[in-house]
């Protein structure tokens, strides 16, 4: 049941990557919600992505979490998607984090005519990621 790629993937993962992956795998259906923080000029349709992965994961700062998500995705263990959940409980936990609140409050009054556009998305484990978790992470 051990895929030959598993050993290389283990070499590519940091301890934080493993903890982020475990967080996702222990979530309901191996999926979590996240926000992509977009910033744009009020009234304009254009924007730039300031923070690509704003999650409820508080194991490290959001930039380090984003790097872990990128690495887990690169190793095909998870799949960040444009899909979002209708169930808002996937996102309410995120809105209660200090990071979300601080960024939201920073843009609340539209400084320099800019607005924050939190865009709901989701991350789910791939079937390859579930196999990896079952073989390499779950205690025997």
């Amino acid at each position: 049941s051990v895929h030959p790629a598993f050993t290389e993937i283990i070499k590519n993962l940091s301890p934080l990557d493993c903890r982020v992956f475990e967080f996702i795998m222990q979530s309901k259906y191996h999926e979590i919600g996240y926000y992509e923080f977009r910033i744009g000029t009020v009234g304009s349709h254009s924007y730039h992505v300031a923070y690509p992965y704003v999650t409820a994961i508080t194991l490290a700062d959001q930039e380090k979490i984003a790097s872990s998500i990128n690495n887990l995705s690169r190793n095909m263990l998870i799949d960040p998607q444009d899909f979002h959940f209708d169930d808002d409980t996937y996102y309410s936990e995120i809105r209660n984090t200090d990071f979300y609140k601080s960024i939201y409050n920073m843009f609340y009054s539209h400084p320099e005519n800019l607005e924050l556009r939190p865009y709901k998305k989701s991350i789910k484990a791939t079937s390859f990621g579930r196999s990896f978790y079952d073989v390499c992470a779950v205690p025997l």
Side-chain angles (χ1 to χ4, degrees):
S1 65
V2 177
H3 192 282
F6 288 176
T7 56
E8 290 303 314
I9 290 172
I10 291 170
K11 291 178 189 178
N12 291 327
L13 299 180
S14 73
L16 181 59
D17 296 343
C18 295
R19 291 173 38 212
V20 169
F21 185 56
E22 181 179 40
F23 182 94
I24 295 167
M25 294 307 294
Q26 291 181 353
S27 298
K28 185 177 180 181
Y29 307 118
H30 312 298
E31 299 176 322
I32 64 168
Y34 75 95
Y35 283 101
E36 178 181 87
F37 275 2
R38 300 172 176 182
I39 297 174
T41 305
V42 175
S44 170
H45 293 291
S46 65
Y47 62 87
H48 77 275
V49 177
Y51 298 96
Y53 301 107
V54 178
T55 69
I57 303 170
T58 57
L59 301 167
D61 67 56
Q62 286 299 314
E63 288 194 31
K64 290 179 182 173
I65 298 295
S67 293
S68 285
I69 290 169
N70 281 331
N71 193 37
L72 292 167
S73 177
R74 184 181 62 81
N75 282 286
M76 300 181 296
L77 301 177
I78 62 170
D79 184 18
Q81 301 180 334
D82 275 338
F83 169 82
H84 72 272
F85 300 103
D86 288 334
D87 181 358
D88 193 59
T89 58
Y90 283 93
Y91 305 98
S92 62
E93 186 178 359
I94 302 166
R95 291 190 302 270
N96 288 324
T97 63
D98 290 339
F99 180 78
Y100 185 98
K101 289 176 185 178
S102 70
I103 300 298
Y104 182 84
N105 289 335
M106 186 185 318
F107 286 93
Y108 183 74
S109 63
H110 303 294
E112 299 178 28
N113 204 33
L114 296 175
E115 66 182 351
L116 178 68
R117 301 175 189 159
Y119 187 75
K120 292 179 178 178
K121 292 186 166 191
S122 66
I123 296 171
K124 67 183 232 174
T126 62
S127 57
F128 183 72
R130 287 191 297 273
S131 295
F132 177 82
Y133 185 77
D134 290 341
V135 171
C136 300
V138 176
L140 298 176

